[in-house]
């Protein structure tokens, strides 16, 4: 049995041969109902058959024009060919002739398709141009948003872009690095607002604090010690620069804005201290900032590493000294990566977190907490529990320096250790429950338990209690 | 067939048309004039039936032969099937023309049929006029238009249409079926509306 397309083709052939539609339909009685409307369509097409020809003169003109174009192209081609070898004293060389022959013989495999591709090519070009314009506009908006401040219309775009970038970050290291970049951006926003005579908004301050803490938590999720330490060193440098920037900006802004900048600076200093402690002891840092930290963990996770405890134990055995650090002056008996203990006097190695070292050297006067504008560095006010804001500090590599009250060098986060031993500062309060601290040591580093016990800071919990 | 092989086959052909085409490729003005005289009327008729305007058909046909010359000059022109190449190019020119004119001429079918027909009795006949059919023609796909135009307006055989479109004869028959069906589908409602 014939396919309908073949039946239709046969019927159409009969129609083109001059048969009437009815006669054709009689030939195909079975398919007549389906054929009839289609043959009517064929008849409708014949309405297009008559052709109105142009005038003879126009036809002649078109022909003449065609031949003229052909002659022009032939002449142009000959000129191009002769120009290729113009000025040559000899005939083209072997390779030149071979190239000509190759170009003439081996053409593009699908020459007839070239003309047909042009409309699509034009469409593609249009699409590319439109896409480029669209992306350009979007890119311009993004670029403009990146410079926006909290009181501008594009600022939500900027925050949205940051959220997207954070969502696309790969792993905690990337997240931490990115979040710290956002912290830096917040600091710059605060400074710009303050310098413009405005007060950094509460929302901006909140975002700054949240992002700073988030960055520290992301860092705590990095499992590799080397990677964590590297990122902390990098973050430390960033924080130092930001603290310096904030300290300098405070000299130029009014009181309300200065308070906000001081708040940010204090948060950065505390974060810097934590990072320094983390550099010395990554495991403790992770424990302190890990999101899955147990709720019953000690309130003061800045525990004493063994060398510090030993040192402190020695200090206690030596008894109190007039020059020993205490709550009166807040001077640590050793040095930390942030605070290099030399003496109570002026330090050549003040922490970079706390402002311009050069200015610090000039201003170790009796009123260390005087606000900016008086020339006094503002750095030490963030250790409110330390008592003496002139407590010198130094770089982490200056760990061999020795305090006057201690004949034994102290390394590592010794400030925290000393604070713990002398019960000074907000981080120095020892746990009232030595049994709890004993458990904590056992969990973090069992090797420390014995040392802590010897120091009298932790006692095992006896069974039955 | 790859280009070099095709060129070799073409150079060995004894077909007078192929020989003439080779001469035209060399820039022979007599061969070019002979080709023009042979194909110009058919190409003009094809274009005219598609656009329905003398001057437009003249312009498009002139553009067609100009492209032919440019293709020969660049070495991208036809090697054997000159008629198929010309019909393909003419079809592309018509399609491009309607794309450029689309925003002006693409009126809804019913409005186009009813416009300017105050006498309802004559409306059915008007609906079948050439301009209306030409308008409905544009509702078909490009390939359907090409098959119906080549076969019913130019009188080409299935094999010739297949050569122009570079498709098998079976595909041409299928396109003919779908094209006529689509044409009937678009013509019928217009006629009914006019008659009502």
């Amino acid at each position: 049995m014939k396919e309908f397309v073949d039946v239709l083709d046969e019927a159409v052939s009969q129609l083109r041969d001059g048969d009437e539609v009815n006669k054709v339909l009689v030939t195909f009685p079975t398919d007549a109902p389906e054929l009839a409307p289609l043959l009517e369509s064929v008849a409708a097409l014949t309405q297009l058959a008559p052709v109105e020809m142009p005038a003879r003169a126009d036809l002649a003109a078109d022909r003449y024009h065609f031949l003229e174009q052909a002659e022009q192209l032939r002449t142009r081609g000959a000129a191009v060919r002769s120009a290729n070898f113009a000025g040559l004293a000899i005939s083209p060389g072997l390779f030149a002739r071979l190239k000509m022959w190759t170009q003439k013989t081996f053409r593009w495999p699908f020459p007839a398709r070239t003309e047909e591709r042009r409309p699509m090519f034009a469409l593609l070009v249009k699409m590319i141009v439109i896409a480029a314009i669209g992306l350009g506009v979007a890119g311009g908006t993004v670029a403009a948003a990146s410079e926006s401040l909290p009181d501008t219309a594009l600022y939500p775009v900027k925050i949205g872009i940051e959220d997207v970038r954070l969502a696309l970050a790969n792993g905690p290291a990337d997240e931490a690095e990115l979040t710290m970049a956002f912290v830096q951006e917040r600091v710059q926003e605060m400074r710009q607002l303050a310098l413009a005579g405005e007060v950094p908004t509460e929302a901006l301050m909140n975002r700054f604090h949240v992002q700073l803490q988030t960055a520290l938590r992301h860092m705590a999720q990095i499992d590799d010690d080397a990677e964590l330490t590297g990122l902390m060193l990098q973050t430390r440098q960033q924080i130092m620069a930001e603290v310096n920037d904030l300290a300098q900006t405070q000299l130029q802004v009014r009181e309300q804005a200065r308070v906000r900048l001081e708040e940010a600076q204090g948060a950065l200093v505390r974060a810097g201290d934590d990072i320094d402690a983390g550099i010395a002891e990554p495991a403790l840092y992770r424990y302190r900032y890990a999101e899955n930290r147990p709720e019953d963990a000690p309130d003061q996770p800045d525990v004493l590493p063994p060398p510090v405890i030993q040192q402190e134990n020695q200090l206690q055995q030596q008894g109190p000294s007039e020059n020993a650090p205490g709550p009166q002056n807040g001077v640590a008996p050793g040095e930390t990566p942030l605070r290099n203990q030399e003496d109570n006097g002026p330090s050549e190695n003040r922490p970079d977190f706390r402002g311009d070292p050069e200015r610090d050297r000039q201003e170790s006067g009796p009123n260390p907490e005087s606000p900016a504008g008086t020339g006094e560095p503002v750095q030490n006010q963030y250790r409110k529990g330390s008592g003496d804001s002139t407590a010198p500090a130094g770089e982490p590599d200056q760990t061999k320096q020795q305090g006057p009250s201690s004949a034994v060098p102290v390394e590592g986060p010794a400030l925290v250790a000393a604070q713990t031993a002398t019960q000074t500062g907000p981080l120095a309060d020892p746990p009232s429950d030595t049994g709890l601290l004993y458990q904590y040591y056992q969990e973090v580093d069992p090797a420390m338990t014995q040392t802590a016990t010897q120091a009298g800071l932790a006692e095992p919990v006896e069974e039955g209690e | 067939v790859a280009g070099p092989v095709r060129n070799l086959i073409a150079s060995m052909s004894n077909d007078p048309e192929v020989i003439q085409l080779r001469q035209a490729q060399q820039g022979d003005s007599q061969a070019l004039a002979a080709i023009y005289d042979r194909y110009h009327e058919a190409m003009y008729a094809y274009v005219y039936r598609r656009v329905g305007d003398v001057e437009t058909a003249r312009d498009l046909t002139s553009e067609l032969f100009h492209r032919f010359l440019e293709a020969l000059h660049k070495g991208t022109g036809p090697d054997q099937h000159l008629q198929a190449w010309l019909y393909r190019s003419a079809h592309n020119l018509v399609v491009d023309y309607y794309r450029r004119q689309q925003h002006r001429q693409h009126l809804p079918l019913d409005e186009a049929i009813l416009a300017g027909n105050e006498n309802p009795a004559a409306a059915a006949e008007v609906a079948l006029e050439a301009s209306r059919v030409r308008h409905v023609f544009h509702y078909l796909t490009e390939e359907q238009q090409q098959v119906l135009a080549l076969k019913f307006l130019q009188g080409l055989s299935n094999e010739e249409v297949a050569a122009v479109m570079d498709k098998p004869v079976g595909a041409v028959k299928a396109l003919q079926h779908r094209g006529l069906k689509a044409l009937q589908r678009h013509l019928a409602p217009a006629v009914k509306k006019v008659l009502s």
Side-chain angles (χ1 to χ4, degrees):
Chain A
M1 186 175 176
K2 284 186 178 178
E3 294 285 337
F4 182 76
V5 290
D6 294 323
V7 172
L8 174 65
D9 191 58
E10 204 170 321
V12 165
S13 296
Q14 291 183 17
L15 207 60
R16 289 173 68 184
D17 290 341
D19 290 347
E20 296 288 334
V21 174
N22 291 337
K23 187 179 176 185
V24 174
L25 291 176
V26 169
T27 313
F28 305 97
T30 310
D31 298 309
E34 196 173 353
L35 274 178
L38 299 181
L39 295 183
E40 284 177 9
S41 298
V42 174
L45 281 174
T46 59
Q47 299 292 324
L48 301 178
V51 174
E52 182 183 353
M53 293 299 290
R56 282 180 176 273
D58 292 337
L59 287 174
D62 291 344
R63 186 177 187 275
Y64 176 80
H65 186 58
F66 168 77
L67 294 175
E68 191 180 44
Q69 285 179 332
E71 182 62 21
Q72 287 174 355
L73 285 173
R74 192 178 65 82
T75 307
R76 196 169 69 193
V80 170
R81 280 193 297 274
S82 64
N84 288 338
F85 302 101
L88 292 179
I90 58 175
S91 62
L94 174 64
F95 289 106
R97 290 202 302 272
L98 180 62
K99 186 179 177 184
M100 289 172 61
W101 178 84
T102 306
Q103 288 177 342
K104 189 177 177 183
T105 306
F106 298 96
R107 294 172 184 160
W108 181 245
F110 311 104
R113 298 282 181 187
T114 306
E115 294 293 329
E116 296 177 5
R117 272 200 293 264
R118 284 184 177 177
M120 184 55 72
F121 178 74
L123 178 63
L124 283 173
V125 169
K126 288 177 188 172
M127 291 172 65
I128 290 170
V129 169
I130 291 170
I133 292 172
L135 290 174
V137 171
T141 305
V142 170
S146 67
E147 304 295 330
S148 62
L149 289 174
D151 56 353
T152 61
L154 283 177
Y155 191 73
V157 177
K158 181 181 186 178
I159 298 301
I161 292 169
E162 288 183 357
D163 292 340
V164 171
R165 289 179 63 193
L166 193 60
L168 296 175
N170 183 24
D174 278 352
E175 290 170 342
E177 199 169 357
L178 204 52
T179 313
M180 279 309 298
F182 299 157
V183 168
Q184 187 177 24
E185 190 63 31
R186 299 293 87 77
V187 170
Q188 297 308 317
E189 290 167 3
M190 288 176 210
R191 292 181 60 224
Q192 289 179 33
L193 285 174
L195 289 172
E198 298 178 29
V199 178
T201 61
E202 192 68 33
L204 174 60
M205 299 306 296
N206 288 340
R207 187 171 287 113
F208 162 79
H209 287 296
V210 168
Q211 287 180 330
L212 183 59
Q213 291 303 310
T214 304
L216 296 176
R217 280 201 302 274
H218 284 317
M219 271 188 262
Q221 294 169 0
I222 300 174
D223 295 323
D224 183 31
D225 281 358
E227 187 180 13
L228 174 60
T229 306
L231 183 58
M232 283 179 158
L233 288 170
Q234 175 186 328
T235 306
R236 186 180 186 280
Q237 292 296 322
Q238 177 186 333
I239 289 179
M240 286 165 62
E242 288 166 2
V243 169
N244 278 330
D245 288 342
L246 286 170
Q248 291 174 7
T249 307
Q250 288 171 41
L251 303 175
Q252 308 168 37
V253 301
R254 57 182 181 148
E255 177 68 19
Q256 287 179 313
R258 186 179 60 75
V259 171
R260 289 286 164 86
L261 297 186
E262 287 175 359
E263 175 189 337
Q265 191 179 19
L268 286 169
V269 168
R270 287 190 293 275
D273 285 351
D274 290 342
I275 285 173
D276 271 344
I279 292 171
E281 192 58 61
L284 285 179
Y285 179 84
R286 285 196 195 93
Y287 187 84
R288 183 175 185 185
Y289 276 100
E291 292 181 349
N292 56 354
R293 180 185 175 201
E295 291 182 2
D296 58 350
D299 293 335
Q300 302 296 330
D302 299 88
V303 297
L304 313 176
V308 177
I309 295 174
Q310 290 171 359
Q311 169 63 23
E312 193 58 39
N313 193 20
Q314 292 174 6
L315 289 174
Q316 288 185 350
Q317 290 173 355
Q318 290 171 2
S321 168
E322 291 181 2
N323 295 327
Q328 293 79 16
N329 54 21
V331 177
E335 59 202 12
T336 70
L338 275 180
R339 299 192 175 201
N340 180 21
Q341 176 64 40
E342 282 183 306
D343 201 344
N344 293 340
S347 170
E348 294 293 321
N349 298 294
R350 282 190 184 277
D352 290 340
F353 289 155
R354 289 152 179 78
D356 185 2
E358 182 62 28
R359 194 176 68 237
D360 292 349
R361 281 195 294 273
Q362 299 169 0
E363 298 166 356
S364 54
N367 186 15
E369 295 201 17
S370 63
T374 63
E376 174 58 30
V378 295
Q379 61 271 21
N380 292 322
Q381 60 190 307
Y382 301 111
R383 286 293 177 187
K384 295 187 185 303
S386 63
D388 187 349
S389 64
T390 61
E395 296 295 326
D397 57 351
Q398 297 168 327
T399 55
K400 298 298 180 186
Q401 296 184 15
Q402 181 175 332
S405 62
S406 172
V408 181
V410 180
E411 297 181 359
L415 174 62
V416 176
Q419 286 173 334
T420 303
T422 56
Q423 300 184 8
T424 60
L427 299 177
D429 297 332
S432 57
D433 187 349
T434 55
L436 184 62
L437 191 55
Y438 179 85
Q439 291 176 354
Y440 173 58
Y441 286 150
Q442 277 196 316
E443 184 173 353
V444 174
D445 186 359
M448 295 167 54
T449 309
Q450 182 179 1
T451 308
T453 307
Q454 290 173 355
L457 296 174
E459 294 176 4
V461 180
E462 295 180 3
E463 292 182 3
E465 286 186 4
Chain B
V1 182
V5 178
R6 189 168 55 186
N7 292 340
L8 184 64
I9 294 171
S11 65
M12 294 169 64
S13 173
N14 292 323
D15 186 344
E17 185 175 301
V18 174
I19 293 172
Q20 196 172 53
L21 186 57
R22 297 288 292 179
Q23 292 170 341
Q25 287 171 340
Q26 301 299 321
D28 187 333
S29 57
Q30 287 188 351
L32 285 169
I35 289 172
Y36 184 89
D37 291 341
R38 183 185 302 165
Y39 290 106
H40 178 269
E41 188 174 342
M43 292 302 121
Y44 171 83
Y46 177 78
V47 173
Y48 175 83
R49 285 169 177 142
R50 302 292 302 276
V51 299
D53 180 71
V54 173
E55 289 306 314
T56 304
R58 260 187 80 195
D59 289 343
L60 292 180
T61 309
S62 295
E63 175 63 19
L64 169 65
F65 280 96
H66 176 69
R67 287 191 180 186
F68 170 64
L69 286 176
E70 291 276 1
L72 288 183
H73 183 67
K74 293 177 184 172
T76 58
D79 286 315
Q80 294 185 76
H81 305 293
L82 177 57
Q83 178 181 263
W85 189 94
L86 288 171
Y87 272 121
R88 263 201 308 266
S89 299
H91 171 76
N92 291 336
L93 280 169
V94 170
V95 170
D96 288 347
Y97 166 76
Y98 275 112
R99 280 180 181 155
R100 289 195 298 269
Q101 302 293 321
Q102 193 172 20
H103 63 285
R104 277 201 292 140
Q105 298 198 357
H106 196 75
L107 297 173
L109 178 60
D110 294 341
E111 291 179 19
I113 290 175
L114 293 172
N117 289 287
E118 295 179 356
N119 184 1
E125 187 176 351
V126 171
L128 295 176
E129 285 179 4
S131 59
R132 303 294 188 254
V133 176
R134 193 174 292 115
H135 182 87
V136 173
F137 209 62
H138 299 141
Y139 285 83
L140 278 57
T141 67
E142 287 186 16
E143 287 188 330
Q144 290 169 356
Q145 290 180 35
Q146 200 172 6
V147 166
L148 298 187
L150 290 172
K151 187 160 182 180
F152 299 108
L153 303 181
Q154 297 302 111
L156 268 59
S157 67
N158 285 338
E159 288 73 20
E160 288 173 322
V161 174
V164 171
M165 300 185 68
D166 199 17
K167 287 180 180 296
V169 172
V172 170
K173 288 181 181 178
L175 279 169
Q176 172 185 258
H177 177 213
R178 290 198 296 270
L180 287 174
K181 207 169 177 179
L183 194 63
Q184 184 266 334
R185 190 168 61 246
H186 285 103
L187 278 174
V191 174
K192 283 180 185 173
K193 181 159 186 173
V194 171
L195 288 173
S196 65

